[in-house]
Every structure is written in structure tokens, then in C-alpha cells.
Amino acid sequence: MSEPSIAENLNMVLSQIHEAEKKSGRAENSVKLCAVSKFHPLESLVAAVDAGQMLFGENRVQEACEKFSTLSEMFAAENRKMPSLHIIGSLQSNKVRKALDYASCIQSVDRESLLVEIEKQCAKMDRTVEIYFELHTGEESKSGYSSVDGIFQSAENFEAGLYPHIVPAGLMTMAPFVDDEGEIRKSFQTLRLCREKLNERFPNLPIKELSMGMSGDFKIAIEEGSTMVRVGTAIFGHRDYSQGGK
């Protein structure tokens, strides 16, 4: 029996998202799918686009830019619309300029100094970019603001007009890799409560998105209020780590 195609996997994931929306009493299409294409070849990304997927997440800037540079040339020649790229992995300040060549959103903003660099580079490029604040709610090895207070401080700086070229559009987290569903739900609930507090304190900031949930837990995330799930393995299969993730 042959392996299912990327298109078949994508349709299966979208169906599961719609089922979870319905189960949770959510409106259909209230949850966006970010297809995580890191460590997967360009051909896999193209196959997903051919199947209708138009939002992708990449962890590593060099790998993302190599793929999207080639994709841009291909699609320009074919007069096709380019998909959107979100950077979802830890971002070093010296990679910000390169990331902004293709990324429409940086989901992994985890410190004030990164915001300063993003604003600096966006001002030079005369463009704006969306960001999500990443909140640490799970494993100790994962990045992210260590507390809601840190995000509040950054939000105050947005309200003060320090970052005119950045749109704070949402929050992001990774749940811990555990079997305890209660711990996973607690992680997602923490992010949702953080958004509620931010919306109450900063009603003029457009912090609406909750990027949470991956291949193994996105149904739970949707039940807990996720507006965007980041799914890779369930769409593309297991990653080829021999590529080194450039």
C-alpha cells in the first residue's frame, strides 16, 4: 500500500481541524493552519501549495530564505501567488534582516532586544511586519518570555509608540511534550488567559491570534481557543534531519 500524498495528508488535517472546531462550538474556518515545512524539501512545499496551502512556518532563517527565494522565482515565472512565510523558531538578532526578506510574521519574539532590532530593520526597509509574543509555558529548554509581566512591558512599549513598523498580532507557545493531557491543556489555557489580560489592559493593540497546537496536540489546542495550529509531521511526514536544517 502506497504512502498517502501530501495533498491527502493536508486534507485529512484540515478535516480534523474542522471537526475540532465543530466539537468546540467554534465557527468553521476560525482556525488557521500553518504548515511547518522545516527540514522538508522544496518539492514538498510546492506540493502543499498545489493542494491549496498558503501559509508555512519555518524555524531556520537560512533554510526558509533558500526555499522562498527559489519559490519566488518559480511562481513569478508562472504568474502564481506566493504563499506566506512565518518564522516560528528562535530568531537571532543578526538574522532579522534576512528573515524580513520573505517573512510576513515572526511568531517567536521572546525578548525586548529582538523587537528593537526588528523595528530597526523594518524602518530601513520601509515595511511593517506582524509579530507574536512567544510565552514560555512548557519545557525548560524552550524559548519565550518567562512571564506574562515581560510581555506586558513590551506591550506598554508598543502603546508608547516605540515600534511603529511592527504589528503585535498575537501570542505563541509550545505545550510540554508529555502524556498528561491536563498539563497540555494548562499550557494552552495559560496562553489564552494571557491574551485576555492583554486585551483588557491594551484594547488598542491588535493582539488576537493564539498560535498553539502541533501535530500531536492541535485538537486539544483548538478546544482551548487556538486560532492557528502549526502542523508539520501530519502533513509532510517525518523530517529528514540528515539535511542539518541549514
Side-chain angles (χ1 to χ4, degrees), residues 11-32 185 188 212-229 231:
N11 286 332
M12 180 188 67
V13 169
L14 289 171
S15 177
Q16 291 173 341
I17 289 172
H18 293 326
E19 288 174 10
E21 288 172 333
K22 186 175 181 179
K23 179 180 178 182
S24 306
R26 307 271 300 276
E28 189 172 347
N29 298 320
S30 61
V31 180
K32 304 178 186 72
R185 287 188 183 277
F188 296 148
M212 58 188 196
M214 300 191 295
S215 287
D217 56 24
F218 71 84
K219 295 176 188 177
I220 298 172
I222 291 171
E223 292 174 11
E224 295 297 339
S226 175
T227 67
M228 179 182 293
V229 294
V231 179

Side-chain angles (χ1 to χ4, degrees), residues 180-219:
D180 185 347
E181 185 176 312
E183 284 297 305
I184 295 170
R185 287 188 183 277
K186 182 179 177 181
S187 173
F188 296 148
Q189 289 164 0
T190 297
L191 197 71
R192 188 183 72 239
L193 290 173
C194 178
R195 185 187 63 179
E196 290 175 5
K197 292 177 182 177
L198 284 164
N199 289 165
E200 181 179 351
R201 171 65 179 80
F202 305 98
N204 294 323
L205 295 183
I207 304 171
K208 304 302 179 188
E209 301 288 355
L210 288 179
S211 175
M212 58 188 196
M214 300 191 295
S215 287
D217 56 24
F218 71 84
K219 295 176 188 177

Side-chain angles (χ1 to χ4, degrees), residues 43-75:
E43 293 75 21
S44 295
L45 196 154
V46 172
V49 176
D50 289 343
Q53 179 63 25
M54 293 299 288
L55 172 58
F56 293 86
E58 289 275 348
N59 285 55
R60 299 171 185 251
V61 172
Q62 183 176 338
E63 180 186 1
C65 289
E66 287 175 358
K67 289 178 186 174
F68 273 73
S69 174
T70 303
L71 201 64
S72 179
E73 293 177 5
M74 287 173 53
F75 281 18

